[in-house]
Amino acid sequence: MAVHEHPHRSSGFHLPSFRRNRTAPASESAVSAGTATHTARAYAFASLRLLTGFVFLWAFLDKAFGFGYATPSGKGWTDGGSPTKGFLGSVAAGPMESAFHSWAGDPWADRLFMLGLLGIGLALVGGVALRIAAVAGTAMMALMWIAEWPPVKHLPDGTPSMSTNPFVDYHVIYAVALIVLAAVAAGDTLGGGRLWARLPFVRDHSWLR
């Protein structure tokens, strides 16, 4: 009787313990892997946000002070130069060519353009108001896309337009990146997104998020 009961007790005692030891680490590993993936994704979006924000901020600073990159030294906005005159005045194709020529160099166009660059750049770097930044940035990129008008192969004088793709260029990529960053709340990591979201006026108006 004792010989027959001993294997029964041993089997009944050890088998459940063995199964728990097998499943528990597997479950913990799955949770750990999921957490690591979520963290990596959050930091990847945060990195994209910071780099994109620097692109906008640098464009503002260079056009404002003429660091000698896109804007020659001494021809910055603070030196009396116009950040829109050269670009909009050189538009040579597209449905808004005449409109862009009339806007080129106007004080309202300069102020609006520079305010957009500064506001979008600060919002991205700070991780706040990403939805507003996405809307404003997408509108700006759309206008710049129309100004360059990638679908055209040749300009009216017959010279090549130098367009490499009739639809997708860097303006489209930037616009999509802004929308994605706002959609995933990329400001919550390495930014002030969480604090911003807790402000009363932001809680009451989700579009400010």
Side-chain angles (χ1 to χ4, degrees):
M1 177 66 72
V3 173
H4 291 293
E5 288 179 350
H6 180 70
H8 177 72
R9 288 197 303 269
S10 176
S11 175
F13 177 79
H14 288 289
L15 187 57
S17 176
F18 175 71
R19 288 176 178 172
R20 284 197 298 271
N21 289 336
R22 287 180 58 189
T23 58
S27 177
E28 291 173 2
S29 297
V31 172
S32 178
T35 302
T37 300
H38 177 76
T39 302
R41 186 183 299 117
Y43 277 100
F45 281 124
S47 300
L48 176 62
R49 171 179 58 80
L50 291 170
L51 291 172
T52 307
F54 180 73
V55 169
F56 281 88
L57 273 184
W58 179 258
F60 169 81
L61 293 172
D62 185 54
K63 293 180 184 303
F65 303 106
F67 289 151
Y69 289 88
T71 306
S73 179
K75 293 189 177 181
W77 195 29
T78 56
D79 299 313
S82 170
T84 64
K85 186 174 182 179
F87 177 66
L88 294 181
S90 63
V91 173
M96 295 183 63
E97 179 182 354
S98 59
F100 287 137
H101 288 172
S102 66
W103 296 352
D106 275 0
W108 70 266
D110 289 342
R111 287 193 292 268
L112 191 61
F113 179 58
M114 294 297 281
L115 179 62
L117 290 177
L118 178 61
I120 295 167
L122 290 177
L124 290 172
V125 171
V128 300
L130 294 186
R131 293 180 181 179
I132 299 175
V135 172
T138 298
M140 179 184 291
M141 292 299 104
L143 287 172
M144 294 179 73
W145 186 89
I146 294 173
E148 293 196 5
W149 200 241
V152 70
K153 294 181 179 179
H154 295 88
L155 301 178
D157 62 0
T159 60
S161 67
M162 305 305 292
S163 174
T164 58
N165 190 301
F167 303 109
V168 180
D169 69 351
Y170 65 98
H171 298 108
V172 176
I173 302 301
Y174 280 135
V176 172
L178 290 170
I179 294 170
V180 169
L181 292 173
V184 301
D188 291 354
T189 302
L190 300 179
R194 296 183 188 277
L195 294 175
W196 175 259
R198 287 199 289 266
L199 295 176
F201 66 91
V202 178
R203 287 201 308 264
D204 295 339
H205 302 88
S206 60
W207 58 271
L208 293 172
R209 179 71 171 82

